[in-house]
Amino acid sequence: MDSLSRLIYPAFTLPISTRMIKLINRMNLNFIWRNKCNFIRKEDMIKNYEEGGVNAIDFDIMNGVLKLKWLKSFIQNSHSFWFIVPNAIFSRLGGIQFFLRCDFECTSLPVKLSTFHQQVLLYWKQLFKHNFTPHNTPEWKAKGIWAVAHFLDDNGNLLLYREFCEKYQLQCSVNVYNRMIRAIPIVVRLMVREDILFSKVSPELRQLSLEGCDFCDKKCTNRVIRKLILHAYYPNPIKRDYMLKDFDNSEIKKIRKKICLSPSLLKLKR
């Protein structure tokens, strides 16, 4: 569909509203079914051939792929001329690579982000799973303070306020420090204490990976990202998946492709 290809560049550089996404999807489905009744649910049509779908385009997913493609390009070329502005913005949040590892709410950030950047981050949050989120205060991060272990001594006990300031050569108020300590769940603190006492494991930032695939690796292609977003949005199988139980993936793909190109379906569309 030629109209969708014309939307790739705008979606790569501009925010697309929810209303516009719904409108584009409706136009796309009307084109597929020739403004007639939709005989297959959209949720089933956009599934891959192997899952019983017909690999139709959902613009919301397409928009997510393009936004994450921009994010990947930003990470790999953060000092490029084309990323001077976003690099300056996210440097106030600890840098883009560190910030993406954190759990955050776009509306609660100390920096007001553009709608485009908010949309990029929302798609990222859909895919990146957090077990533990690092503490993100840029001034503290510069001193190497981002994990619970950095608030504990060698015996796993909480550092006193003065000990904390002396250890990291940091100036902060007592209230700020106490607020940080109170925010650490007791269970997490005890777990980290056990690690310090018995395993001597130093904290490391987790890799920016999506379902085990390095986000910045060449293997993390648009097709992989699309599949991840698709499963995040529509985790359930197609409505009549019982029809597929006697076929393997290669056979399902072959059958689906034949159906999409069959004269009867083309006649039905007319």
Side-chain angles (χ1 to χ4, degrees), residues 89-90 93 99 106 109 111-118 121:
I89 294 172
F90 285 101
L93 299 172
F99 179 72
C106 293
L109 296 175
V111 177
K112 186 175 181 180
L113 299 177
S114 67
T115 308
F116 175 82
H117 292 145
Q118 290 185 34
L121 294 177

Side-chain angles (χ1 to χ4, degrees), residues 47-229:
K47 294 282 188 178
N48 297 325
Y49 291 124
E50 296 84 354
E51 298 172 307
V54 294
N55 222 20
I57 295 176
D58 180 276
F59 188 73
D60 191 11
I61 296 176
M62 179 180 174
N63 184 47
V65 172
L66 293 171
K67 293 297 189 290
L68 292 178
K69 185 72 174 178
W70 178 91
L71 180 61
K72 184 176 181 179
S73 180
F74 175 33
I75 294 173
Q76 294 175 333
N77 307 281
S78 58
H79 297 291
S80 170
F81 170 80
W82 301 105
F83 295 108
I84 288 178
V85 173
N87 190 38
I89 294 172
F90 285 101
S91 63
R92 298 172 61 185
L93 299 172
I96 185 61
Q97 294 205 41
F98 181 78
F99 179 72
L100 292 177
R101 293 175 167 90
C102 303
D103 192 11
F104 55 85
E105 292 294 336
C106 293
T107 56
S108 303
L109 296 175
V111 177
K112 186 175 181 180
L113 299 177
S114 67
T115 308
F116 175 82
H117 292 145
Q118 290 185 34
Q119 201 168 73
V120 171
L121 294 177
L122 288 175
Y123 280 114
W124 171 258
K125 285 191 66 175
Q126 292 285 339
L127 301 184
F128 188 72
K129 309 302 180 186
H130 295 84
N131 289 329
F132 297 98
T133 176
H135 173 65
N136 188 1
T137 299
E139 295 82 5
W140 290 22
K141 177 181 173 292
K143 299 286 187 178
I145 307 169
W146 54 267
V148 175
H150 298 146
F151 293 88
L152 306 179
D153 60 19
D154 295 337
N155 296 319
N157 299 317
L158 284 171
L159 292 168
L160 299 176
Y161 168 69
R162 290 186 178 180
E163 294 174 341
F164 177 77
C165 293
E166 290 176 1
K167 180 177 180 179
Y168 296 105
Q169 298 298 311
L170 184 70
Q171 296 295 329
C172 71
S173 66
V174 179
N175 292 334
V176 171
Y177 178 75
N178 290 335
R179 187 166 64 248
M180 284 300 307
I181 296 301
R182 288 195 298 268
I184 302 174
I186 296 177
V187 176
V188 175
R189 189 193 308 170
L190 293 176
M191 184 177 64
V192 175
R193 183 175 184 271
E194 295 296 316
D195 288 338
I196 293 175
L197 291 176
F198 300 106
S199 63
K200 305 297 181 182
V201 176
S202 58
E204 293 182 0
L205 288 170
R206 62 169 296 188
Q207 190 180 29
L208 288 177
S209 60
L210 303 177
E211 299 295 336
C213 181
D214 186 358
F215 181 60
C216 295
D217 192 77
K218 292 182 179 179
K219 294 181 180 179
C220 191
T221 60
N222 290 354
R223 181 175 296 181
V224 172
I225 296 174
R226 179 190 181 276
K227 185 177 181 180
L228 293 175
I229 298 177

